[in-house]
Amino acid sequence: MSEELTEQDIQNIVRAFKDMKVKPNADTTDAFKNWVKEFSTSKMDDVLYMPYIPKLPTFSGDDKGDDVSYDLWRYQVACLIKENYRHEIIAQAIRRSVHGEASRIVMRLGVEATVDDVIDRMDCIFGSVNVKEVLLAQFYTVSRSRRGCIIMDEKKDGDVLWSSSGQWSEFQL
């Protein structure tokens, strides 16, 4: 936010806090952020103040439309977890982002499903096959179809190089 607060803005904020009978913890920026996070989900006068729900990209489980791939959607969820959003907030963001088959999968888990429950189930259905198993199958297919010595060498980044008769190919893990 690039705008500076005017004296009138500051007075209005102070008046609003007084009217609400709350005193924020503004000792430091981090303390104020933590206070806002706690206050935004607290119950006051029988009114639930709803926190900000981050927007995740749309994922449906099919390859149609503008939906993102599962690995990209999963990465965005992992980022929310890493950023220390509360799991209730992440669960709501997930429910809002899934459509089609993916939404039915989440729905079948029930309203009490945790973020971990949802991710585990989605990983089982939409996650990639164990790459090492695929790599091993490709390796054996190549080794049976060619004669000669096959050499495998794992690089630092986890990719694997293999050679049969001096021709190198690369598989990403």
Side-chain angles (χ1 to χ4, degrees):
M1 196 163 149
S2 61
E3 289 186 34
E4 299 232 358
L5 293 174
T6 65
E7 278 297 318
Q8 186 61 44
D9 293 333
I10 294 170
Q11 289 174 2
N12 290 342
I13 292 169
V14 170
R15 189 176 315 109
F17 282 132
K18 284 182 179 179
D19 290 347
M20 294 169 37
K21 295 180 176 62
V22 295
K23 183 178 182 218
N25 181 355
D27 295 337
T28 65
T29 303
D30 287 338
F32 184 69
K33 286 179 183 177
N34 288 335
W35 179 86
V36 168
K37 185 186 270 187
E38 290 297 318
F39 180 78
S40 67
T41 57
S42 66
K43 201 166 186 161
M44 198 171 138
D45 295 329
D46 294 328
V47 176
L48 180 62
Y49 291 94
M50 292 304 297
Y52 168 73
I53 308 293
K55 183 167 176 35
L56 287 169
T58 302
F59 176 72
S60 65
D62 57 28
D63 294 330
K64 300 175 186 171
D66 294 332
D67 294 353
V68 297
S69 64
Y70 177 71
D71 60 339
L72 180 58
W73 180 86
R74 175 70 168 83
Y75 169 76
Q76 293 290 330
V77 172
C79 288
L80 293 181
I81 293 168
K82 177 81 170 146
E83 291 169 6
N84 291 322
Y85 277 93
R86 292 182 39 229
H87 279 253
E88 297 83 16
I89 303 298
I90 298 170
Q92 181 66 22
I94 288 172
R95 286 190 297 272
R96 290 181 179 180
S97 73
V98 293
H99 298 276
E101 184 59 28
S103 68
R104 284 186 283 283
I105 291 165
V106 172
M107 179 191 68
R108 287 181 197 122
L109 290 172
V111 295
E112 297 296 323
T114 65
V115 171
D116 291 335
D117 294 339
V118 172
I119 293 301
D120 288 346
R121 185 69 177 142
M122 298 287 269
D123 281 346
C124 287
I125 296 170
F126 300 109
S128 61
V129 178
N130 187 339
V131 179
K132 290 182 181 182
E133 291 172 2
V134 172
L135 176 62
L136 193 56
Q138 291 172 337
F139 174 74
Y140 282 121
T141 301
V142 170
S143 68
R144 289 182 190 174
S145 66
R146 296 188 180 178
R147 292 184 184 171
C149 181
I150 295 179
I151 301 165
M152 291 184 69
D153 182 31
E154 187 168 346
K155 296 179 354 184
K156 272 198 261 185
D157 62 2
D159 293 351
V160 174
L161 296 173
W162 62 267
S163 174
S164 173
S165 305
Q167 295 180 354
W168 289 93
S169 295
E170 185 171 333
F171 292 98
Q172 292 184 355
L173 293 178

